[in-house]
Amino acid sequence: MTRSISRMTGGDAGFLYMETPSMHMHTLKIAVLEPSTDNTFDRLIEMMTERLRLLPPMRRRVVPVPFALHHPVLVTQREIDPRRHFFRHHIGGAGTMRDLERLIGEICSTPLDRSVPLWELHLCEGLADGKVAIVGKIHHAMADGLAANAMLANVMDVSSTDMRTSVRTEAHEGVDDPSSSLLVRHALRDAASQLREFPTLIASTVRRLAEVARYRRGMDAKVPLPVKDAPRTSFNGPLTPRRSFATATVPLADLKRVRSTHADIEGLTLNDVVLAVASGALRRWLALHDEHPRTSLTAGVPVGLDATDTEPRLIGNNVSNLFTTLATDVEDPAERLQAISTTTRHAKAISQRLGAALMEWSQFAPPAPFAAAVRAYSRLRGARFHASAFNAIVSNVPGPRERVKVAGAQLADVFSVGPLTEGIGLNITVWSYVDRMNFSLLACPDLLPDVEVLASFIPAAVAELLGEPEPGAAADSVDERVDERVDEQDDAGDQETA
């Protein structure tokens, strides 16, 4: 292979194999820009085309290997056709944030076209205050949260060295697609080379599992196990292709105040506070829907395995998951935060001992059987027959620490959210921007029909952790959104009748 043609890792390719008509494996990045004369569709295309050399994943197309003998390869394209990647939407001139959220749900509900590099950019115009939003879709096979953060730095105009100018590396020149015979030869060669690593991987995995077993025996708390410890809820079940989206923003200072208020909790982190906020919001939502799981909800938390690396990564995935409690069965907010922090601390220790074992084993996943099994499971709606691995995905990714510009326009806000997986109809992703924390909630509306109501509970969940009264405006917002949801359902019923 050449420098412009590279083999996908098993971990990256796994996100391709997991994709089905109802499980779209792309992530969303949403940039809301202040009013500017530069906020035009032509300027967006011009700016992104200029910077494609700084964004390697956006020039690379997935090329499968004949007979699925090995994981696909990535081929750097000579040219990018803007008509296949750039799209324009108009909300109406008086669009609200809720109108934008509905449009984002629609954008997220369709898979990416695999015949071109796996990304799209959608310019959403017509917000009431003159702002515009750029919605980026990129396949998880191309980048995880940390890689996406590094790419985001490459499209921003910044003065600070904190944005890591070292990520500004040139992409290689494009090439033609390799021949089938070349793909087969290299697939067989790489597979033979990979097999030599198998005994080492087995020995390493046994050693890691033994370390985890020893650590578990000495724990003073229980770390939930996937499937076994996840209670059933209405938003855990087979996915449909539809997606809905909602947001909530809280001051970063408030979450830091929560941490300070509960400084007596050993090792309390901002991530623990985010999990507790998600827990408080979910408790309110479950009560509203008269759902009372007998045990606590659990969360899968993506963890970057190279989060401490000094050199940013622009492509691929190096991520694991830890499983923790959301302590939704604990009434007192302080005790709930304590339970989350203690469990998460042990879950991190287990994750560290496991290391990249799952990513390493994914190298040996046979492409055709893996993809066929996932499609069959989705088609048969297999998530009906067992508890989900966990109840919700909750992720926290640090974003820009200073105000920045994109193509000359001031970035007002940034949101991000990852995909849903079978059986798990809710993803809560938090990105920070300067002095605030932006919560993005993605749901399957056929499982969780009112994600905007769940988002409305987030400010109250923060206030609860601070020991403050629930914000009156937040309570009014919840009532309004519940009424709005009822009106939408009535309208849908009228349309079906007609």
Side-chain angles (χ1 to χ4, degrees), residues 249-270:
T249 297
V250 298
L252 174 59
D254 283 358
L255 297 191
K256 289 183 176 179
R257 277 203 299 138
V258 171
R259 188 173 58 184
S260 298
T261 301
H262 300 277
D264 57 316
I265 298 177
E266 179 186 355
L268 181 64
T269 68
L270 205 60

Side-chain angles (χ1 to χ4, degrees), residues 324-398:
T324 188
T325 183
L326 288 174
T328 51
D329 57 343
V330 178
E331 183 73 25
D332 182 80
E335 294 178 9
R336 195 183 316 138
L337 183 57
Q338 172 74 72
I340 290 171
S341 179
T342 300
T343 305
T344 302
R345 176 161 45 86
H346 288 303
K348 287 177 184 175
I350 291 172
S351 179
Q352 289 167 357
R353 283 162 174 76
L354 284 175
L358 183 60
M359 297 289 287
E360 292 166 358
W361 274 102
S362 66
Q363 279 295 107
F364 295 89
F370 187 169
V374 172
R375 287 195 299 270
Y377 178 82
S378 178
R379 185 173 60 254
L380 296 171
R381 297 170 58 81
R384 292 176 298 165
F385 304 116
H386 60 83
S388 58
F390 43 88
N391 298 108
I393 302 165
V394 183
S395 179
N396 180 25
V397 181

Side-chain angles (χ1 to χ4, degrees), residues 383-462:
R384 292 176 298 165
F385 304 116
H386 60 83
S388 58
F390 43 88
N391 298 108
I393 302 165
V394 183
S395 179
N396 180 25
V397 181
R401 298 176 183 175
E402 63 178 273
R403 290 179 66 80
V404 297
K405 293 184 177 181
V406 177
Q410 186 72 54
L411 180 66
D413 253 325
V414 61
F415 300 88
S416 173
V417 73
L420 304 179
T421 57
E422 275 294 351
I424 303 165
L426 175 65
N427 184 315
I428 302 174
T429 301
V430 185
W431 265 44
S432 59
Y433 179 51
V434 190
D435 58 355
R436 53 191 174 273
M437 298 286 276
N438 291 330
F439 287 71
S440 297
L441 288 74
L442 184 72
C444 174
D446 295 299
L447 296 175
L448 197 160
D450 52 356
V451 69
E452 69 280 1
V453 173
L454 176 58
S456 296
F457 290 133
I458 286 174
V462 175

Side-chain angles (χ1 to χ4, degrees), residues 195-230:
L195 282 174
R196 291 195 290 270
E197 302 171 6
F198 195 62
T200 302
L201 178 58
I202 292 177
S204 172
T205 302
V206 170
R207 175 180 54 78
R208 290 171 178 172
L209 290 175
E211 290 178 5
V212 169
R214 284 195 297 271
Y215 182 83
R216 276 186 170 273
R217 284 196 295 270
M219 287 191 312
D220 58 356
K222 178 185 177 183
V223 173
L225 294 172
V227 182
K228 176 179 179 293
D229 294 321

